């Protein structure tokens, strides 16, 4: 149990770091290439999913990959959401936030299944 919590914690931290890195790089790209504002939200969603997948694949191992990944994905999205809300100085909840949590849970579950099966071989 304690090992699972430690794995999930490391995966969440990695996901947050990757999300921040992706957003910083994308911000630079926006300023250099004048990316349309309506492209920002979909690209940020892709970045969050990729960050969740990377963190899960790197740090989840053992068994119960589906459950660990689901928990990790949900926690990661919630932490990332609050972190970006603090940076933006604006906190608002909507149905889209619930969809984002669900998407993070699915991405985490898939990455957890992949992670535990890759490391068995």
């Amino acid at each position: 149990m304690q090992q699972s919590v430690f794995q999930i914690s490391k995966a969440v931290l990695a996901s947050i770091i990757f999300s921040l890195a992706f957003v910083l790089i994308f911000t630079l790209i926006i300023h250099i290439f004048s990316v349309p504002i309506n492209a920002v939200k979909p690209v940020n969603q892709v970045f969050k999913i990729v960050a969740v997948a990377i963190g899960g694949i790197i740090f989840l191992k053992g068994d119960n990959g589906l459950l660990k990944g689901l928990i990790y994905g949900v926690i990661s999205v919630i932490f990332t959401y609050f972190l970006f809300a603090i940076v933006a100085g604006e906190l608002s909840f909507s149905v889209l936030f619930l969809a984002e949590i669900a998407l993070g849970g699915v991405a985490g579950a898939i990455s957890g299944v992949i992670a535990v099966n890759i490391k068995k071989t």
Side-chain angles (χ1 to χ4, degrees), residues 21-55:
F22 290 151
V23 167
L24 288 173
I25 292 168
F26 187 55
T27 302
L28 182 64
I29 291 170
I30 288 172
H31 288 296
I32 292 172
F33 297 108
S34 301
V35 175
I37 195 72
N38 59 353
V40 173
K41 284 192 179 196
V43 171
N44 281 339
Q45 292 302 322
V46 170
F47 287 158
K48 286 180 188 178
I49 293 168
V50 170
V52 167
I54 292 171

Side-chain angles (χ1 to χ4, degrees), residues 3-4 6 11 20 23 31 48 52 65 71 82 86-87 90 111 115:
Q3 186 177 14
S4 294
F6 188 60
L20 285 171
V23 167
H31 288 296
K48 286 180 188 178
V52 167
I71 293 168
F82 282 117
I86 290 168
V87 169
E90 179 183 323
S111 69

